[in-house]
Amino acid sequence: MSQQDVRRVLVLGGYGHFGARIVRALATTPGIRVIAAGRNPAQAADLLPSVDMDSIELCRLDTASADFADALAATRAGLVIHTAGPFQGQGYFVATACLQAGMHYIDLADGRDFVRDFAAQMDATARRAGRCAVSGASTLPALSSAVVDALAPQFDQLQSIDIVIAPAQATPLGMATVRAVLSYCGKPFDCWIDGRRQRVIGWGDPQPVQFAHIAPRLASPCDVPDHDLLVPRYPGVQTVRFRAALELPFLSRCLAGMATLRRIGLPLPMGAMAGVFAHAGRWFDRFGTDLGGMRVTLRGQRGGVAHVLHWDLTAPMLHGPEIPTFAAVLLARRFARSEALPVGAHACVGLLDLAAFESEFARWQIDSVTN
């Protein structure tokens, strides 16, 4: 056994919103020993209620501590899964510390700049270490790109990609997720629309979207890595659009109203409002359902005529929050099986196919259909 053992998987933020789910999934995976790491290990038992605490290790790690790199290396983990967001505005010091300690690295980042620039910033460090580093191992861009990869061969020319995520109203919210959502509310950002970069407003202009098995919702633009990563991946695509659709129209319009106020210059304290927004949202849970969903719509040409495909995912029983963890769990299992992953730094695009995700969908009674 080497000093860093790839079968020892450290989950940073291991009893947080997504980290706890990854710990639970990997704790029952043969051949993996999970280390749940965070600032307050004493809270772990309360935040990991369905995990046999004897099956995991607990570790205190604080990324803001001066001795973080030394404490990280002392865990002897061979793989680190970084879930401690928000990643908007976060640097690459965690990835750097992991690679310098001889550890592979995966994160669940959804920050557009963070994921887009990850390979350019971290590839040389990863190659010197002879390790694999992956950013964006989450719904976006890991699952979204896997769906497009699976369906794109059915087009002679793929022209448009439209992705919508629709969480259930009662979905538990981590504060990092809320802060990430509010960070670009009312802010303009670039999207690839009709063959050129155009500006849209985060959470502005909600528009109705249909789904296969859930009620129609209002969807608004969100600033995500797919805007940058999918355009060069599919040459000739004219439009790449991503939106999120809250279950209750009232809350969608509230966010749109906040976006308008912020866009015209009202200095709303979005960071301070995160807790208020998360708490107020819970009051509306009684008006929602336990169904979440996702729709990917592809448009283009096939045999000289217009061709459209819809891929719909439906997650029952509030299982939607499991989906952002699937890519990291699948990659961790590949490491544990000693399956080769490319050395260097990568966005999580093209590393997992849709069939791999479908095996996880089945575990959680999540349905997907293409029509």
Side-chain angles (χ1 to χ4, degrees):
M1 182 182 296
S2 61
Q3 184 178 6
Q4 272 74 37
D5 182 356
V6 75
R7 293 168 297 181
R8 290 175 60 80
V9 179
L10 185 146
V11 182
L12 188 59
Y15 28 95
H17 183 59
F18 294 123
R21 291 174 164 82
I22 293 173
V23 167
R24 182 190 59 215
L26 295 181
T28 58
T29 300
I32 290 180
R33 179 66 172 175
V34 185
I35 307 166
R39 289 192 294 262
N40 299 295
Q43 298 177 356
D46 293 333
L47 299 173
L48 294 167
S50 60
V51 175
D52 177 4
M53 300 307 290
D54 291 333
S55 69
I56 67 173
E57 297 178 26
L58 299 178
C59 173
R60 185 185 184 280
L61 278 179
D62 184 351
T63 58
S65 174
D67 67 348
F68 169 72
D70 291 337
L72 177 71
T75 66
R76 297 186 300 107
L79 169 64
V80 172
I81 301 176
H82 180 15
T83 74
F87 289 89
Q88 286 81 357
Q90 188 176 140
Y92 301 121
F93 67 96
V94 174
T96 300
C98 293
L99 295 170
Q100 290 178 344
M103 301 169 174
H104 299 284
Y105 168 89
I106 298 170
D107 67 46
L108 273 64
D110 59 354
R112 180 175 177 175
D113 295 350
F114 187 101
V115 179
R116 179 195 64 210
D117 297 338
F118 182 80
Q121 294 294 323
M122 296 305 304
D123 191 60
T125 302
R127 290 184 181 279
R128 281 195 300 270
R131 295 293 182 266
C132 178
V134 179
S135 185
S138 190
T139 309
L140 308 169
L143 174 57
S144 55
S145 63
V147 173
V148 181
D149 283 352
L151 301 184
Q154 299 187 44
F155 293 82
D156 297 328
Q157 177 59 60
L158 179 60
Q159 296 170 330
S160 171
I161 302 169
D162 190 353
I163 304 165
V164 181
I165 289 180
Q169 168 59 31
T171 297
L173 292 175
M175 285 306 299
T177 301
V178 177
R179 291 190 182 100
V181 164
L182 292 181
S183 68
Y184 50 80
C185 179
K187 287 191 172 183
F189 57 86
D190 290 341
C191 292
W192 186 249
I193 301 173
D194 296 332
R196 62 187 179 91
R197 290 288 175 187
Q198 299 188 40
R199 303 221 103 184
V200 299
I201 302 300
W203 290 101
D205 190 27
Q207 296 294 320
V209 174
Q210 301 288 329
F211 298 88
H213 299 302
I214 62 177
R217 299 189 184 183
L218 296 176
S220 298
C222 294
D223 196 15
V224 298
D226 296 54
H227 293 306
D228 293 317
L229 298 176
L230 299 191
V231 176
R233 185 167 180 80
Y234 307 103
V237 71
Q238 295 296 298
T239 296
V240 173
R241 192 190 314 269
F242 174 81
R243 294 171 292 167
L246 302 183
E247 183 169 3
L248 302 182
F250 173 74
L251 295 181
S252 294
R253 293 191 175 99
C254 284
L255 266 178
M258 292 169 60
T260 298
L261 293 174
R262 199 176 187 199
R263 179 175 59 83
I264 64 177
L266 191 67
L268 297 177
M270 304 306 282
M273 292 175 66
V276 175
F277 187 84
H279 180 74
R282 295 280 67 91
W283 188 87
F284 291 92
D285 288 355
R286 70 195 76 180
F287 302 112
T289 70
D290 67 353
L291 289 177
M294 179 175 177
R295 166 166 275 204
V296 179
T297 300
L298 304 185
R299 292 181 170 86
Q301 295 287 317
R302 181 179 181 179
V305 299
H307 187 52
V308 180
L309 283 177
H310 300 289
W311 179 88
D312 275 278
L313 174 149
T314 308
M317 298 178 285
L318 299 180
H319 288 169
E322 303 296 334
I323 298 169
T325 71
F326 288 165
V329 169
L330 289 165
L331 290 173
R333 289 172 178 161
R334 286 180 60 179
F335 277 114
R337 294 193 299 264
S338 299
E339 294 182 13
L341 283 161
V343 169
H346 319 272
C348 197
V349 173
L351 296 179
L352 294 163
D353 61 21
L354 183 56
F357 285 100
E358 288 171 341
S359 67
E360 293 302 303
F361 295 164
R363 297 175 193 269
W364 292 94
Q365 303 173 41
I366 293 170
D367 174 71
S368 63
V369 60
T370 303
N371 56 60

